[in-house]
Amino acid sequence: MAVSSHATLIGSASFDGRYDPNSGVAPCLRTHSYARFAQPKSVKGTLASHALSSSRIFKFPPNFLRQLSNKARRNCSNIGVAQVVAASWSNNSPPSPSAAAATSVDAAAAASVSAASDAVALEGCVGNESLKVEEDLGDSRTSVFDSDGSVAIHAGERFGRGRVDDAITTPVVNTSAYFFKKTADLIDFKEKRAVSFEYGRYGNPTTIVAEEKISALEGAESTLIVASGMCASTMMFLALVPAGGHIVTTTDCYRKTRIFIETILPKMGITATTIDPADMNSLEVALKENKVSIFFTESPTNPFLRCVDIKLVSELCHQHGALVCIDGTFATPLNQKALSLGADLVIHSATKYLGGHNDVLAGCVSGSLKLVSEIRNLHHVIGGTLNPNAAYLLIRGMKTLHLRVQQQNSSALRMAKLLEAHPKIKCVYYPGLPSHPEHNLAKRQMSGFGGVVSFEVDGDLTTTIKFIDSLKIPYIAPSFGGCESIIDQPAIMSYWDLNQTERLKYGIKDNLVRFSIGIEEFEDLKADILQGLEAI
């Protein structure tokens, strides 16, 4: 490929991906006025001797990725692509000083372009490591790991993501749209002969890594990540329940989910039957008397941590052609595998344990490719797209998921036992306690009981407020599952717009407390809770 004699390599250069279509090789070299490294004016004399051996990092625009294979392009970002070129250069012997001194700047530039072309021809190889997408690896992508902890760290990244920048962490791809070199490429994409991205609402390389990581943890064929847990739940209902359809849900659940079921779905003629989480007889009646589309519940539920027999529910629902969707936010994929127990879909508010640092809003739904694709198609219309920066935070958070959940499981169980034995506590709700109505079920279908403990203080609204205000460690805030402990009084935090009688319809007493235990040392939390109880 001929290189323009006007191309001068100074400071930091970059490749322009809009290459000559007649040449079929790598893009042209262009100059930038913003140099990453300061260069002397005599760069022409020094460049030639170092062009092929320098470790200088070049900056490349996103369109250079279009020169990579489709598979590599799908799984990489626009950061540090120059190392593909560097890998190719490093395999060549450096030119002798005399030969290098005799080489012109234009020749050096041509060699750079040639090296870039060679890197493209290698189908995105860095050194000896081939860039492949995960689906090419089949089941082997996570078979090297025996634990969810390792899967949470490496799934979607260690084997599969195009690692053209050699970065351990997944780069953030901040773009709202993706371009095509020519219309023929666009048509190939539309007719599914080529894989690419098109628009930010339809997909993003950073978000895909997070989706694949969650799929690996849940044992799901596919995962869709959206802007919040409520976004995931509402789109699931809208996508899978037909107008005039019927759903079954449980008495104890997140209030905003209940509001959607009771006020929004009826506008589409969708009705609901509400049952106790353990009432399988009522479930069977509802299945026989209605054409049920979906059974939906949390397990454990919010805020009383009731557990549903996922295996039995799935068997009953499938006999009547109904789907089962479990919100496993309180459980996490580490403590409970709803899909392996028979559920069709599992939803998480990834804001909670998956993100784990109280710094990101996200939601996800996982299951078969067929069902998730139906929800994804609606998502493409409605929106609710997760920002790629939030996807990065989610990926980062999941790398410590197993460590955080282990600590929270342990501390929560110890705290539940401590509270149950305290004379100023009337009742404790935690599936790890033998007193919990579904304790045996929880032991059967969960490997850990989670980091949230709900309990009732022996007192009224004012007494409970005094207890909470006396605590020094937990924040008074909504949400749960983060590193920091959080405590709240549901009667105030979530149900204050209802009067006391209306709150009691949902079992929400004025003295109810929901305690989300973080990863602080248990002894510190214990001392704080005890001094708070002493204050009342």
Side-chain angles (χ1 to χ4, degrees), residues 87-100:
S88 176
W89 289 347
S90 66
N91 291 330
N92 299 323
S93 300
S96 65
S98 60

Side-chain angles (χ1 to χ4, degrees), residues 489-506:
Q489 208 168 339
I492 298 175
M493 185 67 72
S494 302
Y495 290 85
W496 195 241
D497 58 314
L498 304 180
N499 61 44
Q500 187 180 56
T501 301
E502 291 171 327
R503 292 196 294 266
L504 287 174
K505 291 179 181 178
Y506 302 107

Side-chain angles (χ1 to χ4, degrees), residues 185-456:
D185 293 341
L186 174 59
I187 293 174
D188 284 343
F189 167 70
K190 291 294 184 180
E191 296 184 356
K192 304 188 185 304
R193 292 190 294 271
V195 177
S196 182
F197 292 97
E198 179 185 359
Y199 187 56
R201 194 169 72 248
Y202 307 151
N204 176 279
T206 310
T207 304
I208 282 179
V209 169
E211 290 177 344
E212 292 179 349
K213 193 179 291 289
I214 294 170
S215 289
L217 284 172
E218 288 289 4
E221 289 182 348
S222 182
T223 292
L224 169 65
I225 291 182
V226 291
S228 70
M230 276 304 300
C231 184
S233 297
T234 55
M235 281 202 296
M236 182 276 298
F237 283 123
L238 295 176
L240 301 180
V241 183
H246 193 85
I247 65 173
V248 178
T249 188
T250 54
T251 51
D252 189 32
C253 70
Y254 178 51
R255 190 184 176 201
K256 291 299 188 293
T257 306
R258 179 187 293 115
I259 289 173
F260 184 79
I261 292 172
E262 293 178 349
T263 65
I264 306 300
L265 291 183
K267 295 179 181 179
M268 291 166 277
I270 297 172
T271 54
T273 295
T274 303
I275 65 171
D276 183 89
D279 192 351
M280 294 298 100
N281 290 330
S282 292
L283 174 59
E284 288 189 87
V285 171
L287 290 168
K288 291 176 181 177
E289 295 182 351
N290 305 276
K291 187 173 176 54
V292 178
S293 299
I294 289 177
F295 172 86
F296 173 81
T297 188
E298 303 152 8
S299 188
T301 60
N302 182 14
F304 295 109
L305 303 164
R306 299 289 303 277
C307 296
V308 173
D309 190 332
I310 300 174
K311 186 175 184 295
L312 178 57
V313 164
S314 299
E315 290 173 354
L316 292 173
C317 288
H318 293 162
Q319 290 172 9
H320 293 82
L323 299 173
V324 174
C325 180
I326 301 295
D327 184 330
T329 301
F330 274 80
T332 80
L334 303 186
N335 287 333
Q336 180 176 275
K337 304 289 187 185
L339 298 180
S340 67
L341 291 169
D344 301 286
L345 294 165
V346 59
I347 282 177
H348 290 278
S349 172
T351 304
K352 311 305 192 293
Y353 288 101
L354 296 184
H357 290 76
N358 292 315
D359 60 2
V360 62
L361 286 173
C364 62
V365 55
S366 304
S368 68
L369 179 61
K370 179 181 181 298
L371 291 176
V372 174
S373 294
E374 291 184 47
I375 304 169
R376 192 185 300 273
N377 290 337
L378 180 64
H379 164 63
H380 290 170
V381 175
I382 292 180
T385 306
L386 187 70
N387 184 282
N389 295 282
Y392 171 83
L393 291 175
L394 184 56
I395 293 166
R396 186 192 64 175
M398 282 191 285
K399 292 179 185 291
T400 59
L401 176 64
H402 64 298
L403 300 175
R404 291 184 284 105
V405 169
Q406 287 172 9
Q407 174 76 2
Q408 288 162 316
N409 283 345
S410 173
S411 293
L413 180 58
R414 295 171 70 185
M415 183 60 69
K417 292 178 179 178
L418 172 73
L419 290 167
E420 191 172 49
H422 199 282
K424 293 185 179 180
I425 299 298
K426 293 183 65 176
C427 181
V428 179
Y429 305 96
Y430 188 70
L433 294 177
S435 58
H436 190 277
E438 285 87 44
H439 175 62
N440 291 329
L441 170 62
K443 288 197 300 182
R444 190 164 69 244
Q445 69 183 20
M446 300 179 73
S447 57
F449 305 112
V452 176
V453 179
S454 294
F455 56 94
E456 294 174 6

Side-chain angles (χ1 to χ4, degrees), residues 55-244:
S55 62
R56 181 181 292 113
I57 302 298
F58 294 94
K59 177 180 174 63
F60 292 77
N63 49 22
F64 178 67
L65 295 177
R66 294 290 174 177
Q67 310 310 314
L68 300 175
S69 68
N70 282 336
K71 291 179 181 179
R73 185 176 74 243
R74 179 185 174 197
N75 292 276
C76 63
S77 80
N78 57 351
I79 302 174
V81 183
Q83 295 201 22
V84 175
V85 181
S88 176
W89 289 347
S90 66
N91 291 330
N92 299 323
S93 300
S96 65
S98 60
T103 305
S104 67
V105 173
D106 286 348
S112 301
V113 174
S114 176
S117 179
D118 291 343
V120 172
L122 288 173
E123 289 292 315
C125 292
V126 180
N128 294 323
E129 183 177 355
S130 178
L131 302 175
K132 295 182 181 293
V133 293
E134 283 204 16
E135 53 262 36
D136 290 343
L137 299 174
D139 293 336
S140 65
R141 59 186 174 180
T142 55
S143 62
V144 297
F145 302 124
D146 291 326
S147 69
D148 284 336
S150 298
V151 171
I153 295 169
H154 293 295
E157 297 180 283
R158 189 70 174 92
F159 306 106
R161 173 169 57 84
R163 298 171 58 81
V164 296
D165 57 359
D166 287 335
I168 292 176
T169 56
T170 295
V172 181
V173 182
N174 278 316
T175 186
S176 60
Y178 307 82
F179 77 93
F180 297 85
K181 295 190 299 290
K182 54 185 181 296
T183 302
D185 293 341
L186 174 59
I187 293 174
D188 284 343
F189 167 70
K190 291 294 184 180
E191 296 184 356
K192 304 188 185 304
R193 292 190 294 271
V195 177
S196 182
F197 292 97
E198 179 185 359
Y199 187 56
R201 194 169 72 248
Y202 307 151
N204 176 279
T206 310
T207 304
I208 282 179
V209 169
E211 290 177 344
E212 292 179 349
K213 193 179 291 289
I214 294 170
S215 289
L217 284 172
E218 288 289 4
E221 289 182 348
S222 182
T223 292
L224 169 65
I225 291 182
V226 291
S228 70
M230 276 304 300
C231 184
S233 297
T234 55
M235 281 202 296
M236 182 276 298
F237 283 123
L238 295 176
L240 301 180
V241 183

